[in-house]
Amino acid sequence: MSVVGLLEGMQIAFFAVAKIPKAERGDSVFAKKTCDLLFKGEGNNLPGFMIGRQLCVVSCMFFIARVTSVEIAEGEENIFGVSDGFQKLFDTGLLGAIITTILASISWQ
C-alpha cells in the first residue's frame, strides 16, 4: 500500500509543479533533474509517466485484493461467525480492495 501511496503523491506533486515557472521549482538537484526529465522535449514524458503509474496502481490493487481475500474450506466455520452470503463476499477480495483504495489512494490526497 505504501507504493500506491507514493505513486499518488507523485501524481499530485507533478501536476502542481507543472503550473510553477521553471525558475521557481526549487534548488534541490533531484528536484531539478526530475523536472528536467518530466518536461523535456515535446512534453510526452509526463503523460507517459501517468499511464505507467496508473498501470502500476492497478497491478498493486489486484495484488492486494488477492492477498486480502480469504478462502474457507467446506465444513469450516465462517470468519467472525457471519452468514454464508457475507463469507462469499469476504472470499472475493472486494473488501480488501475497498480498504486499499481508501487507505492507499484517497488518504494521500
Side-chain angles (χ1 to χ4, degrees):
M1 286 197 292
S2 297
V3 171
V4 174
L6 290 172
L7 290 170
E8 293 292 336
M10 289 170 66
Q11 174 185 357
I12 295 165
F14 291 160
F15 279 126
V17 167
K19 298 176 185 176
I20 298 173
K22 188 172 184 175
E24 297 178 13
R25 289 185 181 160
D27 299 326
S28 171
V29 175
F30 289 111
K32 287 183 178 184
K33 286 185 179 187
T34 302
C35 288
D36 290 343
L37 184 63
L38 279 175
F39 304 118
K40 79 175 184 179
E42 297 177 14
N44 292 329
N45 289 345
L46 181 60
F49 170 78
M50 290 300 156
I51 291 170
R53 182 205 71 84
Q54 191 61 39
L55 291 173
C56 187
V57 167
V58 169
S59 300
C60 288
M61 293 294 186
F62 277 116
F63 176 75
I64 293 170
R66 182 64 189 136
V67 168
T68 57
S69 64
V70 211
E71 291 187 29
I72 302 294
E74 288 290 325
E76 288 189 30
E77 187 177 329
N78 292 343
I79 294 177
F80 307 123
V82 297
S83 66
D84 289 338
F86 270 120
Q87 186 58 49
K88 287 182 182 179
L89 179 65
F90 290 158
D91 292 346
T92 63
L94 180 65
L95 295 177
I98 291 171
I99 291 170
T100 302
T101 301
I102 293 169
L103 292 178
S105 292
I106 299 173
S107 65
W108 289 77
Q109 296 178 9

